[in-house]
Amino acid sequence: MIRYRSVILDVDSTLCAIEGVDWLAARRGPEVARRVAETTERAMSGEIAMEAVYGDRLALVRPSRRDIEQLAQAYRDSVAPGAREAIHALRAQGVRAVLVSGGLRQAIAPLASELGFTEADLHAVDVRWDEHGEYAGFDETSPLTTQHGKVGVVRSANLPPPALAVGDGATDLAMRPAVAAFAAFTGFVRRDAVVSGADHVCESFAAVRDLVLT
């Protein structure tokens, strides 16, 4: 029995163990790392709106093209245990899987491709560089830079119902009005405010697979 026909996956601290912007910030020294990590956690816990800090975090980090290439490898190296197998099992049963992330598209895209996601299956935020490969901004019009932007992205994706959203943060919980159910992923971090608003709690991708294919 297939319980959900579509699955929407977050990336940072869900599909992968890292928070991409925090990983980049750690390369800028302890003070930048601390400031960025603190604001990330406050936004993910729902204490502050993501739109209040998204641009500020990137302005502190200013990721170059080379930085993003290295982050792309870090994403590959930190895939959640069992995620590849679970995604394969879902697709084998005809379940549609997509990625919806507030992370940077160019860093996530190589892993997404490896896992069989098409360009249309990856929803993330574009970053821009100048002719020297230095940071030149990001897509400020993307709804994924806001606290509640994921719900609109999911609705516009026209996914087969019923759909399950899976994520660890408050921006993921915001997808709840657009899906049949939301599962809080606690394999890397557990946020009580997110868990309390979830329909299910999954500690692993094996649990996600079993939740969908029951």
Side-chain angles (χ1 to χ4, degrees):
M1 175 182 173
I2 299 174
R3 192 172 184 179
Y4 300 103
R5 301 299 312 182
S6 301
V7 175
I8 303 108
L9 298 172
D10 175 44
V11 175
D12 293 29
S13 295
T14 299
L15 178 63
C16 300
I18 62 173
E19 287 284 341
V21 177
D22 291 6
W23 186 93
L24 291 166
R27 299 161 62 85
R28 300 294 187 261
E31 179 59 22
V32 171
R34 180 189 63 78
R35 290 171 63 185
V36 170
E38 285 180 357
T39 55
T40 298
E41 181 56 31
R42 292 182 67 195
M44 289 298 98
S45 297
E47 294 180 26
I48 54 176
M50 179 58 77
E51 54 265 37
V53 299
Y54 197 98
D56 292 343
R57 295 187 310 155
L58 285 179
L60 284 169
V61 173
R62 299 187 62 80
S64 67
R65 188 186 300 273
R66 178 59 176 161
D67 290 327
I68 294 299
E69 290 172 352
Q70 293 176 341
L71 174 57
Q73 185 59 51
Y75 275 126
R76 289 190 187 103
D77 293 341
S78 65
V79 176
R84 287 183 169 88
E85 295 82 0
I87 291 168
H88 177 77
L90 295 179
R91 288 205 184 102
Q93 295 298 317
V95 176
R96 175 83 185 279
V98 300
L99 302 177
V100 177
S101 171
L104 302 176
R105 176 189 297 276
Q106 292 91 331
I108 299 170
L111 172 62
S113 179
E114 286 182 10
L115 295 177
F117 293 95
T118 68
E119 287 189 19
D121 293 334
L122 170 59
H123 305 267
V125 181
D126 284 303
V127 63
R128 300 189 301 273
W129 301 284
D130 63 19
E131 64 273 21
H132 304 294
E134 298 301 321
Y135 177 71
F138 65 97
D139 181 7
E140 297 183 17
T141 68
S142 172
L144 294 171
T145 65
T146 69
Q147 196 73 9
H148 300 283
K150 287 188 176 184
V151 66
V153 171
V154 171
R155 283 174 172 155
S156 66
N158 296 317
L159 299 171
L164 172 73
V166 183
D168 65 284
T171 56
D172 304 311
L173 180 59
M175 291 187 278
R176 182 62 187 86
V179 296
F182 173 77
F185 187 81
T186 60
F188 297 118
V189 60
R190 181 185 179 95
R191 297 182 172 97
D192 290 341
V194 178
V195 170
S196 66
D199 302 284
H200 310 283
V201 178
C202 294
E203 296 182 351
S204 67
F205 266 82
V208 173
R209 178 202 61 213
D210 291 345
L211 176 61
V212 176
L213 303 178
T214 56

